[in-house]
Amino acid sequence: MHTNVNALFEALWQDYIEMTPSAAKVHQLLSKGETIINDHIALRTFNISKVNLDVLAAHFESIGYVACGDYKFEAKKLNAKHFEHPDSTQPKVFISELLVEEFSDELQTTIKGLIEQVDAAATTADNFLYSGRHWDLDAKTYESLLAESEYAAWVAALGYRANHFTVSINHLPNFDTIFEVNDALKEAGFVLNAVGGEVKGSPEVLLEQSSTMADKINVSFSDAVVEIPSCFYEFAIRYPKADGELYTGFVAASADKIFESTNVN
């Protein structure tokens, strides 16, 4: 397990920009030479004990993170939690897990077969959260997972790594609103996730979010190389609660739409 929060996020970021070629361009566009503050990252997994949400969370809890909120996504059959660090300048962490038992027997058998290939010792290694895929997978199996759950297919293909990083618009010196950020991105040719509107949430729920659609990258399966969606970049602006402190949680209805940034179409 990492002992240093900055080292962990730097390693996650390096893996993420390899998987997400557009991220460095977005970063450059919005930073205008200033430092970008990362609001949160998200990770995906399955609710199988060897690799479940708690296994991923342990890596963050060992460096001071604490669980702060629980979320359920009925339609996508997911549970999630978010974690915060005592140092509020450190990114929040959003971890979700697929409720494997709620899917077809075929999907359950496939996922259990993949997880059986994971060395239990690998799950506590320093690099687990950015170690990618720990199993053999062919393109046909990827396609059959995709037909049932985009989320299951994504984790099966890409394994363990940040699904997205998130620019904190509150800390961007050159932008005041999420609409200005979205306009700058679209002018530069980036495609935004328009599911449920380009902006998810509102000042009333204390959080507005938008995101690019995931990059497409070539992924090697055991029998073919296929171009599939990898990771995306999210943008968030938080509003103050009644006590004047910025809201630090997540809005399930908005997050539900953000998940669709990795949809194939």
Side-chain angles (χ1 to χ4, degrees):
M1 304 254 178
H2 275 270
T3 50
N4 181 306
V5 101
N6 296 325
L8 173 56
F9 279 96
E10 180 56 28
L12 282 159
W13 171 255
Q14 290 303 328
D15 174 73
Y16 165 75
I17 55 175
E18 258 176 56
M19 303 299 293
T20 322
S22 69
K25 295 178 197 141
V26 171
H27 199 274
Q28 201 176 0
L29 174 74
L30 298 182
S31 68
K32 300 191 193 306
E34 305 280 339
T35 302
I36 282 191
I37 300 293
N38 177 23
D39 179 85
H40 71 273
I41 66 161
L43 296 151
R44 296 178 173 189
T45 191
F46 302 110
N47 71 334
I48 294 172
S49 58
K50 195 196 280 185
V51 295
N52 68 10
L53 194 160
D54 294 340
V55 171
L56 274 61
H59 287 263
F60 295 102
E61 289 167 337
S62 71
I63 46 177
Y65 276 83
V66 285
C68 291
D70 291 275
Y71 310 88
K72 283 202 175 340
F73 300 93
E74 306 286 349
K76 291 186 173 62
K77 303 174 181 171
L78 303 170
N79 280 342
K81 284 184 181 181
H82 99 265
F83 299 81
E84 296 178 27
H85 194 273
D87 172 358
S88 64
T89 65
Q90 295 294 355
K92 289 166 276 294
V93 174
F94 188 89
I95 305 175
S96 55
E97 61 181 3
L98 193 73
L99 305 175
V100 176
E101 71 281 358
E102 294 190 15
F103 288 86
S104 70
D105 291 347
E106 184 194 10
L107 183 140
Q108 291 184 50
T109 303
T110 299
I111 298 304
K112 285 173 184 161
L114 300 182
I115 302 309
E116 275 165 15
Q117 298 174 53
V118 179
D119 175 1
T123 66
T124 56
D126 269 4
N127 71 339
F128 180 62
L129 297 174
Y130 46 92
S131 60
R133 196 165 77 209
H134 290 253
W135 44 76
D136 290 324
L137 181 69
D138 59 52
K140 187 164 169 287
T141 305
Y142 168 78
E143 293 295 342
S144 72
L145 289 171
L146 188 60
E148 203 172 332
S149 163
E150 179 279 324
Y151 183 108
W154 190 94
V155 181
L158 298 172
Y160 292 96
R161 48 175 35 105
N163 169 261
H164 61 271
F165 272 66
T166 308
V167 173
S168 169
I169 300 171
N170 298 79
H171 296 90
L172 278 183
N174 302 293
F175 297 88
D176 296 320
T177 70
I178 196 164
F179 300 99
E180 289 174 15
V181 169
N182 287 355
D183 287 346
L185 291 162
K186 287 188 290 190
E187 274 170 34
F190 294 101
V191 178
L192 298 184
N193 170 347
V195 179
E198 283 177 358
V199 175
K200 287 80 166 126
S202 65
E204 288 69 38
V205 297
L206 307 180
L207 176 64
E208 289 177 315
Q209 296 162 274
S210 64
S211 62
T212 60
M213 289 303 285
D215 280 8
K216 297 273 186 21
I217 64 165
N218 286 326
V219 170
S220 296
F221 294 101
S222 56
D223 56 343
V225 174
V226 184
E227 189 183 63
I228 66 167
S230 60
C231 310
F232 60 93
Y233 218 152
E234 189 188 319
F235 315 94
I237 188 163
R238 295 177 178 277
Y239 292 91
K241 301 175 294 189
D243 64 6
E245 296 288 314
L246 285 183
Y247 176 66
T248 58
F250 292 84
V251 177
S254 302
D256 189 69
K257 307 288 189 294
I258 293 282
F259 277 117
E260 307 206 11
S261 302
T262 51
N263 281 5
V264 172
N265 297 326

